[in-house]
Structure formats: C-alpha cells, structure tokens
C-alpha cells in the first residue's frame, strides 16, 4: 500500500479556489504568530515569508507553504483567521469546503461506497467515511529482505584508511532509532503499516555494521527531543568513532511528527550534535537518516525522451586549492555530518505495508552489499539510483506508476568508510 503527507484534498482545493482572494486580502503579521504558537510553521519559515517584497508576495509564499504543513494546518489556519478578526476569509473558504463536500456526497450516491482509497507515506488525513480502505501492494512480494553485511578485507582498510575518517572502534559508534507507527487518535495521522519492518531492518543493519543500537517506539515530540538530548550527551561518544540517528515517522518539510501529533523540528535535532553542543563527537562522522514525508505532492514522474539515459555534465572547477591553512585550529559550528532523506522537499515518501518503505529497503540492501568497499556518500548515490528506478504498482489508483526521489546532504570532510568487520590486531 502506498502511503503521502499533508492536509485533506478538499481543504487544499478550497485554498486553491480562493487563492487570489486570499493573496490580496490576507493580513499575515499577527496571524503568523498564531501559526507558530500552534506548531504549524516555524520562526525560520516566517522569516522566509517576511523576506518577500510586498504583502501580496508574502501571502503567496504563505499559501504555497500551508498545504505542506500537515493535516492540522487547515483547521489551525481557520482558527487563526478568527483570532485575528479575519472571519470573513474563513467564511469564504469554509463555504467552498462545504460545496466540495457536497460534491463528494453526490459521488457517493452515484457510485456507491466501495471505491478504493489509496494512501502514500506520511501524514494521511482520515479517509472519508464513504470510502472503504483497500490495501495496494505497490510491488510484487511480501516481507522484508535483510541481506547479511559483507565484511571489508584488511588489504582494503590499509589502502584507504589514510583519506578516511578513523572508524575502527569497538563498537563503531552508538546508534539511535526513533520509530513512530501509532499516533494519537485525536490527530489525523494514520497507523504507519510497514513502519515496524523499517525499524527492524535498520536495527539489524546497524548491529551488523558494528554499532550499539538503542530503539524507542511511538514517542511524543517532547519524548523524541528528550531522547535525542540524552543520546547526544552520552559520555560513551568519547570512546567511539561515529554515531547514527534514524528518525522514522510521518513528517512535513523540516519536521517529523511525534506520536502526539506535535512536530519535532529537524534543525533542532541536528543542532544537538554540532561541534558546539556535542564536543565528544567533534571531528567524528555523524550519520542521520530521515524516513518521513517532506510534503504531500506525489511524484507522478515523466516519460523519458529517447536517447541516452545519462547526460554528460561539465566538471566543477576547483577553487582555493593552494590556500594556506590557518595555524590556529578552529572548527565550524556544524561539520562532519551526512543526512539521507527518503524524498525531496515538498514530496511524499512511499511505503509498502509488507516490505516497509522504499528508502529503507534500498538503504539496507546497498549498505549490506557495498559498505565493505564503498564510502557512505557513494552508497547514498546508489540508493538514489535504486529509488529513481522504482515505480509504484497500484492499478486504478493515483499511485499507479508513481515515483520517488531520495537525496542526501553532507558536510563530511573525509571519505566515510564503515570498514565492517575489520578490527585491528584481530
């Protein structure tokens, strides 16, 4: 079954049909403070909006962002309109929502109540009562496939250690997995079927790679924050060579959901592990893997033109190659991190209810096979390649032949080889 994230489709349509009116009439200044208080947008998002020139452009930026801020964004927006004495705008969009709902009721009368309703990975809003849930396996085959990790040879270690991060401690590092599959019934966040498969796959992979793994299930946003803070402050980080954090949940751009439907901001999580806040991990590689939606757009894909699959691109010119190093050693606040995301900004991540998410399945497969002789950045490129080639299989639904594209960002300063199975002197 494909599982995407965001507000209900009828609410998106209501905003779309009234977009010009809202862009002209909306008064944002006080309203955005209410939206921050309701945990819908962040102060950074408000600053991006305010950087636009003129109220119309600011309103357009806000309206572009709003549908991507989860299933509670629409009701919070309506409440904020009332709180800022803009009830006339709320009345217009609610009237549109009502007319759209009547259209659904007419469809029910004409077509009956046995229509399938597909889902995609993230924060699906509740299904209309007239639509029966129907699971669509997007790929043929059930159950997770967790291949054994292949070990690197002593020869490979000797040939590559000089340009790589030191990664020979036992354990290699500490790993933390926060996996949310059940959510507060008061929130429009559905059970993440297949999420337990992802968690089990990563748990086994990290252990086989030599990490000491801690797992927490179904944590509230505050509990997730607390777990990350405790983990970042563990004194044992001083004695190991790296760390891993994996967050598996519903999400929106820049944040993931706790089991209580509140958001944990990713930048706050990353900040806990920077050079200022986590000195025990200074100059050591820190890996983050985020399995969550970053919006609600389903990638429909495009047909490839005839010809070569890959186009040649010019190389990048190296600059400042001979710059003299500073004699006084000083670290940037954030360095030596790499973060893999299941999908691109604004898009939904896909999850098979039997085999788990596309991204985690590809990640475990590539890392198990290739970590013996490939560094992490190159392995994440291989993950991207596998995700690019994958395609949804759910005939008769909006998810048939849908696509996904993963990505990663990095501040690594050396090659990050995991050297699985290699222990000096053993």
């Amino acid at each position: 079954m494909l599982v995407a994230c965001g507000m209900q489709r009828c609410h998106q349509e209501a905003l779309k049909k009234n977009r010009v009116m809202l862009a002209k009439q909306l008064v944002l200044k006080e309203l955005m403070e209410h939206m921050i208080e309701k945990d819908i947008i962040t102060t950074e998002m408000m600053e991006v909006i305010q950087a636009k020139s003129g109220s119309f452009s600011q309103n357009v930026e806000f309206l572009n962002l709003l549908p991507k801020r989860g299933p509670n964004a629409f009701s919070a927006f309506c409440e904020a309109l009332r709180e800022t004495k803009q009830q006339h705008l709320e009345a217009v969009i609610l009237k549109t929502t009502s007319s759209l709902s009547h259209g659904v009721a007419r469809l029910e009368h004409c077509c009956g109540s046995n229509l399938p309703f597909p889902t995609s990975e993230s924060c699906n809003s509740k299904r209309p009562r007239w639509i029966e849930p129907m699971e669509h396996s997007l790929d043929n085959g059930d159950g997770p496939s967790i291949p054994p990790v292949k070990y690197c040879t002593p020869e490979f270690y000797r040939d590559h250690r000089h340009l790589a991060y030191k990664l020979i401690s036992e354990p290699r590092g500490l790993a933390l997995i926060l996996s949310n599959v059940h959510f507060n019934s008061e929130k429009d966040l559905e059970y993440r079927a297949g999420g337990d498969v992802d968690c089990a796959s990563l748990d086994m992979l990290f252990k086989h790679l030599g990490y000491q793994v801690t797992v927490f299930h179904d944590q509230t946003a505050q509990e997730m924050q607390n777990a990350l803070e405790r983990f970042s402050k563990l004194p044992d980080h001083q004695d190991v060579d790296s760390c891993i954090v994996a967050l598996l949940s519903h999400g929106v751009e820049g944040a993931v959901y706790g089991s209580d439907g509140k958001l944990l901001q990713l930048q706050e999580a990353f900040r806990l592990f920077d050079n200022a806040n986590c000195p025990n991990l200074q100059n050591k590689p820190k890996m983050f893997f985020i399995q969550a939606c970053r919006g609600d757009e389903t990638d429909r894909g495009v047909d490839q033109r005839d010809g070569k699959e890959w186009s040649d691109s010019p190389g990048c010119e190296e600059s400042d190659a001979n710059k003299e190093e500073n004699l006084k050693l000083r670290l940037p606040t954030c360095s030596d991190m790499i973060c893999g995301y299941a999908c691109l900004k604004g898009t939904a991540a896909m999850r098979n209810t039997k085999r788990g998410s596309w991204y985690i399945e590809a990640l475990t497969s590539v890392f198990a096979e290739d970590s013996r002789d490939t560094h992490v950045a190159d392995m994440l490129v291989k993950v991207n390649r596998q995700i690019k080639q994958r395609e949804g299989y759910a005939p008769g639904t909006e998810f048939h032949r849908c696509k996904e594209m993963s990505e990663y960002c990095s501040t690594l300063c050396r090659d990050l080889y995991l050297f699985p199975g290699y222990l000096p002197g053993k």
Side-chain angles (χ1 to χ4, degrees), residues 40-159:
I40 300 300
I41 66 172
T42 66
T43 53
E44 290 80 8
M45 292 172 185
M46 182 175 70
E47 290 169 0
V48 170
I49 292 168
Q50 291 174 335
K52 298 295 180 180
S53 176
S55 61
F56 185 87
S57 296
Q58 291 179 6
N59 289 346
V60 167
E61 184 73 15
F62 176 79
L63 292 170
N64 288 339
L65 178 66
L66 185 61
K68 303 172 183 178
R69 298 309 296 165
N72 303 320
F74 184 82
S75 59
F77 176 53
C78 290
E79 187 177 346
L81 287 173
R82 293 194 301 273
E83 292 168 340
T84 56
K85 297 181 171 54
Q86 301 183 72
Q87 297 95 325
H88 60 291
L89 300 182
E90 181 199 19
V92 173
I93 59 177
L94 289 181
K95 183 178 179 180
T96 305
T97 303
S98 178
S99 65
L100 291 170
S101 299
H102 290 153
V104 168
R106 287 194 296 273
L107 181 59
E108 174 190 6
H109 178 74
C110 296
C111 302
S113 60
N114 293 317
L115 299 177
F117 188 77
T119 53
S120 93
E121 154 87 294
S122 98
C123 45
N124 260 5
S125 36
K126 290 179 179 175
R127 296 184 176 91
R129 61 169 180 82
W130 57 276
I131 295 180
E132 293 294 327
M134 179 175 176
E135 180 173 304
H136 296 281
S137 178
L138 294 181
D139 309 273
N140 298 320
D142 294 330
S145 174
I146 307 173
V149 171
K150 295 183 178 179
Y151 289 167
C152 90
T153 63
E155 293 75 21
F156 181 85
Y157 172 77
R158 286 196 298 270
D159 291 343

Side-chain angles (χ1 to χ4, degrees), residues 71-72 126 180-191 218-220 250 257-262:
N72 303 320
K126 290 179 179 175
N180 293 339
V181 297
H182 299 94
F183 296 84
N184 190 319
S185 59
E186 296 177 2
K187 302 292 183 179
D188 291 342
L189 297 170
E190 292 191 343
Y191 167 65
D218 298 333
Q219 302 283 288
T220 66
H250 290 307
Y257 280 100
S259 61
D260 56 350
K262 294 183 179 180

Side-chain angles (χ1 to χ4, degrees), residues 157-174:
Y157 172 77
R158 286 196 298 270
D159 291 343
H160 292 82
R161 66 186 179 90
H162 302 291
L163 296 176
Y165 283 100
K166 174 176 170 285
L167 214 73
I168 55 175
S169 62
E170 189 178 3
R172 287 289 189 265
L174 309 182

